[in-house]
Amino acid sequence: KLGSWKQTVTMNSDGALYVENTITLDGSLVKDLPRWGVEFAMPRSMSHNSFLARGPHENYADRHMSAHIGVYEENVPECPSTYVVPQEQGNRMGLNWLFISEPRLDENSLSEKATLSAKKNIDDVVSGKQGLLLLPTSTHPEFSVSRCTDTQLFRARHINELNPSKDSIFVRIDAAQRGLGTGSCGPQTLPEYQINDDTEGNTCKLSFWIKPIGFGDK
């Protein structure tokens, strides 16, 4: 047993969910982790993302100085193809909010790479749309959205071995994620960017709201 995970989900009368996660690890068995977080699935049609976080490109604890806080939007790629050998990709730090929705006709042609949005506040982003708004209540977490699970990315040795889901979009929300570098093609990740066994006494807490938007509109 490596540790424990406790998740509490509370539903409000308006359909909003408050999700609390507490992850406790045995430091004698786990010394360095890829991430502390959760992954959940959403319908495949929810393939348009708007978010206030660091962007537009992927960024990590040891590679984020060129990624600036802003409101960005993108369509989820049909297949993760940033790297020939599938691996962690598409992470963004400093999440303030994430809105996931079905793309409108004028959004279908948007790039699969995030671009600055013309909409600068959350009210403009959600206006006239149906989707789910994710609002962190713990310190600004990290996130990524993909058509493949973490397990699929880890097991595949080449992009042709990936089998993106035909039914789901996968959302990953992390309280912390390891910096880049694995020693396979360069130096190991520096100690200050590793998730070690002394991270908050081996306990990680991650909480957020998931609020439905526009579904009650006529």
Side-chain angles (χ1 to χ4, degrees), residues 42-215:
M42 299 183 65
R44 178 181 173 84
S45 59
M46 308 284 277
S47 60
H48 181 75
N49 303 326
S50 297
F51 56 89
L52 174 57
R54 286 187 177 271
H57 49 269
E58 63 180 19
N59 47 90
Y60 297 84
D62 54 355
R63 198 192 81 176
H64 67 266
M65 295 300 291
S66 63
H68 305 293
I69 292 288
V71 178
Y72 301 93
E73 59 181 331
E74 66 179 354
N75 287 329
V76 182
E78 287 297 322
C79 182
S81 57
T82 304
Y83 307 105
V84 173
V85 178
Q87 56 194 279
E88 159 57 37
Q89 57 188 277
N91 186 67
R92 269 75 176 229
M93 300 181 64
L95 178 64
N96 287 264
W97 52 260
L98 168 66
F99 183 59
I100 305 176
S101 62
E102 295 186 6
R104 293 190 301 234
L105 290 177
D106 61 334
E107 294 171 337
N108 280 321
S109 60
L110 281 175
S111 171
E112 292 182 345
K113 293 185 178 180
T115 57
L116 272 172
S117 174
K119 305 178 181 74
K120 298 305 180 184
N121 62 70
I122 196 168
D123 290 333
D124 290 339
V125 168
V126 304
S127 179
K129 299 197 70 175
Q130 291 184 334
L132 294 178
L133 178 63
L134 190 147
L135 296 164
T137 58
S138 47
T139 304
H140 301 306
E142 308 176 30
F143 83 98
S144 62
V145 184
S146 174
R147 298 185 191 275
C148 292
T149 66
D150 255 0
T151 302
Q152 288 174 311
L153 291 173
F154 177 78
R155 288 178 175 173
R157 302 308 302 162
H158 194 277
I159 54 176
N160 70 321
E161 297 178 7
L162 290 174
N163 185 27
S165 174
K166 295 180 173 60
D167 303 312
S168 302
I169 297 286
F170 301 98
V171 181
R172 292 182 273 277
I173 307 294
D174 298 315
Q177 187 171 157
R178 195 179 195 272
L180 300 174
T182 60
S184 63
C185 58
Q188 186 57 273
T189 305
L190 294 176
E192 58 264 38
Y193 302 119
Q194 296 178 13
I195 304 179
N196 293 307
D197 60 346
D198 60 350
T199 303
E200 296 187 4
N202 297 330
T203 297
C204 164
K205 294 187 177 182
L206 176 65
S207 57
F208 50 87
W209 285 96
I210 301 178
K211 183 176 181 180
I213 300 292
F215 292 100

